[in-house]
């Protein structure tokens, strides 16, 4: 489960220094969320003298609720990003302990990357540098981040008797026993008992881009593609946890 508290949501920014200027522009557009205490951000420019670089970076990444991947050809080409930050980010995504959001800065081929099925920003994954006015792109990104933060905080406040903490940290779920249910039965229940908007919300909560799921726009087709994606990514326990907590009527 990914939880937030009154002190805000922790956001880790993963990027390469070739994109420093674009990262600074993003920082400016996230400033309003920082001032309102909705978020606190961290990137490697906040390392202090004497800190162990790799250990500190991974420690901050593993505490974050949201991990922003600033995508460019340099980001994709970075061995350090690939071997360390990206591997850990995707592991946390699969575990359901963090939201991973690709931010498409510059045009590049990211279709074969591990995050290709995650909902990207800006809208329609149009690279920031291809906008006539980059402020429009960063405004969309900031709004998308804010929507995700509000979603996290809303779900967090819905948890009864949750203790307040001074630092936001995702809490790994206890071992969850997955119900035995044939795929065709799960598909039928999702189709019969959830609206299209609810199916979209399920996809969103699982960090899956509903619009890019394979097949037609028909709800049954999207559900089939959603279940297939969940199974390919070994996310079945996470799906059933979500249904148990938010849509118990699907399983009853």
């Amino acid at each position: 489960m990914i939880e937030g508290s009154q002190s805000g949501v922790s956001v880790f920014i993963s990027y390469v220094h070739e994109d420093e200027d674009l990262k600074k522009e993003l920082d400016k557009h996230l400033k309003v969320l920082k001032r309102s205490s909705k978020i606190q951000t961290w990137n490697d420019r906040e390392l202090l003298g004497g800190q162990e670089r790799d250990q500190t970076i991974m420690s901050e990444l593993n505490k974050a609720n949201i991990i922003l991947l600033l995508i460019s050809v340099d980001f994709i080409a970075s061995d350090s990003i690939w071997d360390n930050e990206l591997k850990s980010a995707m592991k946390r995504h699969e575990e359901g302990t963090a939201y991973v959001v690709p931010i498409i800065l510059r045009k590049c081929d990211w279709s074969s990357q591990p995050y290709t099925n995650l909902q990207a920003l800006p809208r329609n994954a149009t690279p920031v540098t291809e906008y006539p006015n980059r402020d429009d792109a960063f405004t969309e990104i900031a709004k998308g981040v804010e929507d995700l933060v509000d979603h996290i905080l809303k779900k967090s406040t819905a948890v009864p008797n949750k203790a307040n903490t001074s630092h936001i940290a995702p809490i790994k779920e206890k071992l969850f026993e997955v119900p035995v249910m044939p795929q065709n039965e799960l598909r039928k229940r999702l189709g019969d008992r959830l609206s299209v908007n609810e199916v979209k919300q399920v996809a969103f909560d699982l960090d899956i881009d509903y619009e890019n799921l394979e097949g037609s726009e028909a709800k049954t087709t999207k559900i089939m593609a959603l279940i297939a994606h969940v199974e390919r990514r070994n996310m079945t326990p996470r799906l059933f946890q979500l249904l148990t907590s938010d849509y118990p009527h699907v399983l009853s």
Side-chain angles (χ1 to χ4, degrees):
M1 181 183 290
I2 304 164
E3 295 187 347
S5 79
Q6 293 179 345
S7 59
V9 170
S10 176
V11 179
F12 180 93
I13 300 177
S14 177
Y15 76 109
V16 290
H17 290 173
E18 289 86 349
D19 296 318
E20 180 76 28
D21 290 343
L22 291 170
K23 188 266 294 181
K24 287 180 178 178
E25 289 300 311
L26 175 60
D27 279 337
K28 293 177 186 176
H29 283 264
L30 295 177
K31 191 68 174 179
V32 172
L33 293 178
K34 295 179 188 179
R35 284 179 180 155
S36 65
S37 297
K38 278 190 172 184
I39 67 171
Q40 48 188 311
T41 65
W42 195 93
N43 65 80
D44 68 357
R45 292 302 190 193
E46 298 182 45
L47 285 163
L48 302 175
Q51 285 188 314
E52 204 286 325
R53 177 182 175 81
D54 291 342
Q55 180 180 336
T56 303
I57 289 174
M58 297 312 298
S59 175
E60 293 295 335
L61 185 150
N62 287 323
K63 290 189 294 187
N65 304 104
I66 298 173
I67 301 169
L68 303 182
L69 308 178
L70 306 195
I71 309 301
S72 69
V73 65
D74 291 297
F75 182 93
I76 292 172
S78 170
D79 290 332
S80 176
I81 292 288
W82 178 265
D83 292 334
N84 299 299
E85 294 178 32
L86 184 59
K87 185 179 294 184
S88 294
M90 295 309 298
K91 181 175 185 290
R92 295 199 57 215
H93 159 70
E94 301 292 350
E95 294 172 342
T97 57
Y99 287 98
V100 177
V101 184
I103 307 294
I104 313 304
L105 294 183
R106 296 188 277 135
K107 188 173 183 178
C108 56
D109 182 8
W110 55 287
S111 59
S112 62
Q113 298 301 302
Y115 43 82
T116 187
N117 287 316
L118 301 185
Q119 180 65 55
L121 295 170
R123 184 172 53 240
N124 300 323
T126 301
V128 169
T129 55
E130 293 197 356
Y131 276 68
N133 184 339
R134 292 182 185 179
D135 281 340
D136 290 338
F138 284 119
T139 298
E140 285 185 18
I141 293 168
K143 182 61 170 65
V145 172
E146 182 176 22
D147 288 344
L148 179 54
V149 168
D150 287 342
H151 173 74
I152 292 171
L153 294 176
K154 180 179 178 181
K155 292 186 72 103
S156 176
T157 56
V159 179
N161 300 323
K162 187 176 73 65
N164 290 329
T165 58
S166 59
H167 178 75
I168 311 305
I171 301 174
K172 188 173 181 179
E173 296 285 354
K174 295 179 180 179
L175 186 62
F176 180 81
E177 185 175 350
V178 179
V180 177
M181 183 177 295
Q183 187 182 100
N184 60 344
E185 176 64 19
L186 175 60
R187 182 171 65 245
K188 184 177 186 302
R189 291 192 182 201
L190 291 174
D192 291 346
R193 304 182 187 186
L194 295 183
S195 67
V196 172
N197 285 336
E198 287 174 326
V199 175
K200 289 182 178 180
Q201 185 63 49
V202 168
F204 179 83
D205 288 341
L206 295 174
D207 302 333
I208 296 172
D209 187 346
Y210 178 89
E211 301 302 331
N212 283 339
L213 287 171
E214 299 173 355
S216 69
E217 292 301 311
K219 183 174 75 168
T220 53
T221 303
K222 290 292 190 183
I223 288 173
M224 290 174 62
L226 175 65
I227 293 174
H229 178 86
V230 164
E231 291 188 343
R232 283 197 306 271
R233 296 281 183 170
N234 297 317
M235 296 167 61
T236 302
R238 192 173 162 195
L239 171 61
F240 276 98
Q241 282 178 312
L242 177 63
L243 294 177
T244 300
S245 62
D246 292 6
Y247 307 96
H249 63 286
V250 172
L251 303 178
S252 61

PDB file of all heavy atoms in Angstrom, residues 5 8 27 30 38 45 66 82 112 132 137 144-145 157 189 207 214 219 222 233 236 242 244:
ATOM      1  N   SER A   5       0.562  11.179   4.546  1.00  0.00           N
ATOM      2  CA  SER A   5       0.101  11.708   5.818  1.00  0.00           C
ATOM      3  C   SER A   5       0.044  13.220   5.751  1.00  0.00           C
ATOM      4  O   SER A   5       0.225  13.810   4.700  1.00  0.00           O
ATOM      5  CB  SER A   5       1.032  11.255   6.950  1.00  0.00           C
ATOM      6  OG  SER A   5       2.193  12.046   6.975  1.00  0.00           O
ATOM      7  N   GLY A   8       2.702  15.409   3.928  1.00  0.00           N
ATOM      8  CA  GLY A   8       2.846  15.404   2.490  1.00  0.00           C
ATOM      9  C   GLY A   8       3.298  14.075   1.932  1.00  0.00           C
ATOM     10  O   GLY A   8       3.494  13.100   2.640  1.00  0.00           O
ATOM     11  N   ASP A  27      10.935  21.531 -11.418  1.00  0.00           N
ATOM     12  CA  ASP A  27      10.968  21.927 -10.009  1.00  0.00           C
ATOM     13  C   ASP A  27      10.145  23.194  -9.768  1.00  0.00           C
ATOM     14  O   ASP A  27       9.418  23.304  -8.773  1.00  0.00           O
ATOM     15  CB  ASP A  27      12.412  22.168  -9.551  1.00  0.00           C
ATOM     16  CG  ASP A  27      13.143  20.882  -9.215  1.00  0.00           C
ATOM     17  OD1 ASP A  27      12.468  19.881  -8.919  1.00  0.00           O
ATOM     18  OD2 ASP A  27      14.386  20.875  -9.256  1.00  0.00           O
ATOM     19  N   LEU A  30       6.496  22.500  -9.699  1.00  0.00           N
ATOM     20  CA  LEU A  30       6.067  21.733  -8.526  1.00  0.00           C
ATOM     21  C   LEU A  30       6.127  22.559  -7.245  1.00  0.00           C
ATOM     22  O   LEU A  30       5.740  22.090  -6.179  1.00  0.00           O
ATOM     23  CB  LEU A  30       6.942  20.486  -8.365  1.00  0.00           C
ATOM     24  CG  LEU A  30       6.846  19.427  -9.479  1.00  0.00           C
ATOM     25  CD1 LEU A  30       7.824  18.296  -9.197  1.00  0.00           C
ATOM     26  CD2 LEU A  30       5.426  18.889  -9.609  1.00  0.00           C
ATOM     27  N   LYS A  38       1.916  19.613   0.269  1.00  0.00           N
ATOM     28  CA  LYS A  38       1.376  18.383  -0.302  1.00  0.00           C
ATOM     29  C   LYS A  38       2.494  17.402  -0.646  1.00  0.00           C
ATOM     30  O   LYS A  38       2.293  16.192  -0.587  1.00  0.00           O
ATOM     31  CB  LYS A  38       0.551  18.684  -1.557  1.00  0.00           C
ATOM     32  CG  LYS A  38      -0.872  19.128  -1.294  1.00  0.00           C
ATOM     33  CD  LYS A  38      -1.664  19.155  -2.591  1.00  0.00           C
ATOM     34  CE  LYS A  38      -3.142  19.409  -2.330  1.00  0.00           C
ATOM     35  NZ  LYS A  38      -3.942  19.353  -3.575  1.00  0.00           N
ATOM     36  N   ARG A  45      20.846  16.381  -6.470  1.00  0.00           N
ATOM     37  CA  ARG A  45      21.473  17.671  -6.194  1.00  0.00           C
ATOM     38  C   ARG A  45      21.353  18.044  -4.715  1.00  0.00           C
ATOM     39  O   ARG A  45      21.944  19.025  -4.261  1.00  0.00           O
ATOM     40  CB  ARG A  45      20.848  18.760  -7.062  1.00  0.00           C
ATOM     41  CG  ARG A  45      21.153  18.627  -8.554  1.00  0.00           C
ATOM     42  CD  ARG A  45      22.636  18.642  -8.829  1.00  0.00           C
ATOM     43  NE  ARG A  45      22.934  18.752 -10.251  1.00  0.00           N
ATOM     44  CZ  ARG A  45      24.124  18.543 -10.786  1.00  0.00           C
ATOM     45  NH1 ARG A  45      25.146  18.187 -10.006  1.00  0.00           N
ATOM     46  NH2 ARG A  45      24.316  18.667 -12.089  1.00  0.00           N
ATOM     47  N   ILE A  66       6.158   8.475  -4.592  1.00  0.00           N
ATOM     48  CA  ILE A  66       6.085   8.659  -6.045  1.00  0.00           C
ATOM     49  C   ILE A  66       7.507   8.768  -6.581  1.00  0.00           C
ATOM     50  O   ILE A  66       8.336   9.485  -6.024  1.00  0.00           O
ATOM     51  CB  ILE A  66       5.304   9.933  -6.413  1.00  0.00           C
ATOM     52  CG1 ILE A  66       3.847   9.845  -5.917  1.00  0.00           C
ATOM     53  CG2 ILE A  66       5.317  10.184  -7.923  1.00  0.00           C
ATOM     54  CD1 ILE A  66       3.074  11.146  -6.102  1.00  0.00           C
ATOM     55  N   TRP A  82      19.937   2.480 -15.294  1.00  0.00           N
ATOM     56  CA  TRP A  82      19.392   1.163 -15.627  1.00  0.00           C
ATOM     57  C   TRP A  82      19.681   0.139 -14.528  1.00  0.00           C
ATOM     58  O   TRP A  82      18.805  -0.625 -14.122  1.00  0.00           O
ATOM     59  CB  TRP A  82      19.974   0.685 -16.952  1.00  0.00           C
ATOM     60  CG  TRP A  82      19.514  -0.682 -17.359  1.00  0.00           C
ATOM     61  CD1 TRP A  82      20.149  -1.865 -17.131  1.00  0.00           C
ATOM     62  CD2 TRP A  82      18.287  -1.019 -18.033  1.00  0.00           C
ATOM     63  NE1 TRP A  82      19.411  -2.922 -17.632  1.00  0.00           N
ATOM     64  CE2 TRP A  82      18.268  -2.430 -18.188  1.00  0.00           C
ATOM     65  CE3 TRP A  82      17.225  -0.262 -18.529  1.00  0.00           C
ATOM     66  CZ2 TRP A  82      17.221  -3.091 -18.822  1.00  0.00           C
ATOM     67  CZ3 TRP A  82      16.181  -0.934 -19.157  1.00  0.00           C
ATOM     68  CH2 TRP A  82      16.179  -2.322 -19.305  1.00  0.00           C
ATOM     69  N   SER A 112      10.196  -0.128 -25.648  1.00  0.00           N
ATOM     70  CA  SER A 112      10.606  -1.433 -25.127  1.00  0.00           C
ATOM     71  C   SER A 112      11.091  -1.364 -23.686  1.00  0.00           C
ATOM     72  O   SER A 112      11.599  -2.349 -23.149  1.00  0.00           O
ATOM     73  CB  SER A 112      11.728  -2.013 -26.006  1.00  0.00           C
ATOM     74  OG  SER A 112      12.878  -1.170 -25.971  1.00  0.00           O
ATOM     75  N   PRO A 132       5.068  23.796 -28.286  1.00  0.00           N
ATOM     76  CA  PRO A 132       5.431  25.161 -28.689  1.00  0.00           C
ATOM     77  C   PRO A 132       5.794  26.031 -27.483  1.00  0.00           C
ATOM     78  O   PRO A 132       6.692  26.866 -27.550  1.00  0.00           O
ATOM     79  CB  PRO A 132       4.170  25.670 -29.396  1.00  0.00           C
ATOM     80  CG  PRO A 132       3.461  24.435 -29.856  1.00  0.00           C
ATOM     81  CD  PRO A 132       3.752  23.402 -28.799  1.00  0.00           C
ATOM     82  N   ALA A 137       3.466  22.206 -21.202  1.00  0.00           N
ATOM     83  CA  ALA A 137       3.806  20.819 -20.874  1.00  0.00           C
ATOM     84  C   ALA A 137       4.027  20.645 -19.379  1.00  0.00           C
ATOM     85  O   ALA A 137       3.480  19.726 -18.760  1.00  0.00           O
ATOM     86  CB  ALA A 137       5.058  20.398 -21.645  1.00  0.00           C
ATOM     87  N   GLY A 144      -0.910  16.591 -13.307  1.00  0.00           N
ATOM     88  CA  GLY A 144      -0.963  15.138 -13.190  1.00  0.00           C
ATOM     89  C   GLY A 144      -0.371  14.642 -11.886  1.00  0.00           C
ATOM     90  O   GLY A 144      -0.907  13.729 -11.247  1.00  0.00           O
ATOM     91  N   VAL A 145       0.730  15.244 -11.470  1.00  0.00           N
ATOM     92  CA  VAL A 145       1.342  14.885 -10.190  1.00  0.00           C
ATOM     93  C   VAL A 145       0.404  15.240  -9.038  1.00  0.00           C
ATOM     94  O   VAL A 145       0.217  14.446  -8.103  1.00  0.00           O
ATOM     95  CB  VAL A 145       2.701  15.585 -10.016  1.00  0.00           C
ATOM     96  CG1 VAL A 145       3.242  15.370  -8.598  1.00  0.00           C
ATOM     97  CG2 VAL A 145       3.708  15.063 -11.046  1.00  0.00           C
ATOM     98  N   THR A 157      -6.160   8.927   4.155  1.00  0.00           N
ATOM     99  CA  THR A 157      -7.057   9.405   5.207  1.00  0.00           C
ATOM    100  C   THR A 157      -8.240   8.484   5.407  1.00  0.00           C
ATOM    101  O   THR A 157      -8.913   8.549   6.424  1.00  0.00           O
ATOM    102  CB  THR A 157      -7.573  10.821   4.882  1.00  0.00           C
ATOM    103  OG1 THR A 157      -8.212  10.817   3.596  1.00  0.00           O
ATOM    104  CG2 THR A 157      -6.438  11.822   4.875  1.00  0.00           C
ATOM    105  N   ARG A 189     -16.794 -11.217 -13.498  1.00  0.00           N
ATOM    106  CA  ARG A 189     -17.163 -10.418 -12.324  1.00  0.00           C
ATOM    107  C   ARG A 189     -16.778  -8.955 -12.500  1.00  0.00           C
ATOM    108  O   ARG A 189     -17.545  -8.054 -12.143  1.00  0.00           O
ATOM    109  CB  ARG A 189     -16.494 -10.983 -11.073  1.00  0.00           C
ATOM    110  CG  ARG A 189     -17.039 -12.339 -10.659  1.00  0.00           C
ATOM    111  CD  ARG A 189     -16.561 -12.710  -9.280  1.00  0.00           C
ATOM    112  NE  ARG A 189     -17.020 -14.025  -8.875  1.00  0.00           N
ATOM    113  CZ  ARG A 189     -17.096 -14.432  -7.614  1.00  0.00           C
ATOM    114  NH1 ARG A 189     -16.746 -13.602  -6.634  1.00  0.00           N
ATOM    115  NH2 ARG A 189     -17.508 -15.644  -7.312  1.00  0.00           N
ATOM    116  N   ASP A 207      -1.223   1.452 -11.576  1.00  0.00           N
ATOM    117  CA  ASP A 207      -0.225   2.144 -12.415  1.00  0.00           C
ATOM    118  C   ASP A 207      -0.213   1.603 -13.841  1.00  0.00           C
ATOM    119  O   ASP A 207       0.843   1.509 -14.473  1.00  0.00           O
ATOM    120  CB  ASP A 207       1.193   2.027 -11.835  1.00  0.00           C
ATOM    121  CG  ASP A 207       1.292   2.578 -10.420  1.00  0.00           C
ATOM    122  OD1 ASP A 207       0.488   3.463 -10.094  1.00  0.00           O
ATOM    123  OD2 ASP A 207       2.160   2.136  -9.668  1.00  0.00           O
ATOM    124  N   GLU A 214      -4.227  -3.133 -24.906  1.00  0.00           N
ATOM    125  CA  GLU A 214      -4.479  -3.648 -26.250  1.00  0.00           C
ATOM    126  C   GLU A 214      -5.960  -3.906 -26.482  1.00  0.00           C
ATOM    127  O   GLU A 214      -6.718  -4.182 -25.565  1.00  0.00           O
ATOM    128  CB  GLU A 214      -3.692  -4.952 -26.453  1.00  0.00           C
ATOM    129  CG  GLU A 214      -2.188  -4.789 -26.334  1.00  0.00           C
ATOM    130  CD  GLU A 214      -1.477  -6.119 -26.378  1.00  0.00           C
ATOM    131  OE1 GLU A 214      -2.167  -7.151 -26.412  1.00  0.00           O
ATOM    132  OE2 GLU A 214      -0.235  -6.114 -26.370  1.00  0.00           O
ATOM    133  N   LYS A 219     -15.481  -2.423 -23.010  1.00  0.00           N
ATOM    134  CA  LYS A 219     -15.071  -2.688 -21.630  1.00  0.00           C
ATOM    135  C   LYS A 219     -14.553  -4.108 -21.461  1.00  0.00           C
ATOM    136  O   LYS A 219     -13.521  -4.319 -20.808  1.00  0.00           O
ATOM    137  CB  LYS A 219     -16.251  -2.439 -20.683  1.00  0.00           C
ATOM    138  CG  LYS A 219     -15.873  -2.632 -19.213  1.00  0.00           C
ATOM    139  CD  LYS A 219     -17.000  -2.234 -18.272  1.00  0.00           C
ATOM    140  CE  LYS A 219     -18.104  -3.262 -18.248  1.00  0.00           C
ATOM    141  NZ  LYS A 219     -19.069  -3.042 -17.147  1.00  0.00           N
ATOM    142  N   LYS A 222     -11.024  -4.401 -22.777  1.00  0.00           N
ATOM    143  CA  LYS A 222     -10.057  -3.747 -21.882  1.00  0.00           C
ATOM    144  C   LYS A 222      -9.816  -4.583 -20.628  1.00  0.00           C
ATOM    145  O   LYS A 222      -8.687  -4.667 -20.130  1.00  0.00           O
ATOM    146  CB  LYS A 222     -10.573  -2.356 -21.499  1.00  0.00           C
ATOM    147  CG  LYS A 222     -10.561  -1.346 -22.633  1.00  0.00           C
ATOM    148  CD  LYS A 222      -9.149  -0.978 -23.048  1.00  0.00           C
ATOM    149  CE  LYS A 222      -9.135   0.193 -24.010  1.00  0.00           C
ATOM    150  NZ  LYS A 222      -7.772   0.527 -24.480  1.00  0.00           N
ATOM    151  N   ARG A 233       2.925  -9.281 -15.404  1.00  0.00           N
ATOM    152  CA  ARG A 233       3.768  -8.519 -14.475  1.00  0.00           C
ATOM    153  C   ARG A 233       3.749  -9.084 -13.055  1.00  0.00           C
ATOM    154  O   ARG A 233       4.260  -8.455 -12.123  1.00  0.00           O
ATOM    155  CB  ARG A 233       3.275  -7.062 -14.423  1.00  0.00           C
ATOM    156  CG  ARG A 233       3.407  -6.327 -15.731  1.00  0.00           C
ATOM    157  CD  ARG A 233       4.818  -5.872 -15.957  1.00  0.00           C
ATOM    158  NE  ARG A 233       4.970  -5.093 -17.168  1.00  0.00           N
ATOM    159  CZ  ARG A 233       6.058  -4.419 -17.486  1.00  0.00           C
ATOM    160  NH1 ARG A 233       7.089  -4.429 -16.677  1.00  0.00           N
ATOM    161  NH2 ARG A 233       6.147  -3.752 -18.614  1.00  0.00           N
ATOM    162  N   THR A 236      -0.918 -10.174  -9.726  1.00  0.00           N
ATOM    163  CA  THR A 236      -2.214 -10.733  -9.306  1.00  0.00           C
ATOM    164  C   THR A 236      -2.499 -10.492  -7.824  1.00  0.00           C
ATOM    165  O   THR A 236      -3.618 -10.086  -7.467  1.00  0.00           O
ATOM    166  CB  THR A 236      -2.287 -12.231  -9.635  1.00  0.00           C
ATOM    167  OG1 THR A 236      -2.090 -12.405 -11.044  1.00  0.00           O
ATOM    168  CG2 THR A 236      -3.645 -12.803  -9.247  1.00  0.00           C
ATOM    169  N   LEU A 242      -6.393  -4.917  -3.984  1.00  0.00           N
ATOM    170  CA  LEU A 242      -7.161  -3.730  -4.337  1.00  0.00           C
ATOM    171  C   LEU A 242      -8.652  -4.036  -4.370  1.00  0.00           C
ATOM    172  O   LEU A 242      -9.471  -3.265  -3.836  1.00  0.00           O
ATOM    173  CB  LEU A 242      -6.693  -3.207  -5.702  1.00  0.00           C
ATOM    174  CG  LEU A 242      -7.450  -2.004  -6.275  1.00  0.00           C
ATOM    175  CD1 LEU A 242      -7.282  -0.785  -5.373  1.00  0.00           C
ATOM    176  CD2 LEU A 242      -6.949  -1.682  -7.683  1.00  0.00           C
ATOM    177  N   THR A 244     -10.206  -6.422  -2.815  1.00  0.00           N
ATOM    178  CA  THR A 244     -10.656  -6.729  -1.453  1.00  0.00           C
ATOM    179  C   THR A 244     -10.922  -5.465  -0.648  1.00  0.00           C
ATOM    180  O   THR A 244     -11.918  -5.377   0.087  1.00  0.00           O
ATOM    181  CB  THR A 244      -9.611  -7.602  -0.732  1.00  0.00           C
ATOM    182  OG1 THR A 244      -9.436  -8.820  -1.444  1.00  0.00           O
ATOM    183  CG2 THR A 244     -10.049  -7.905   0.696  1.00  0.00           C
TER     184      THR A 244
END
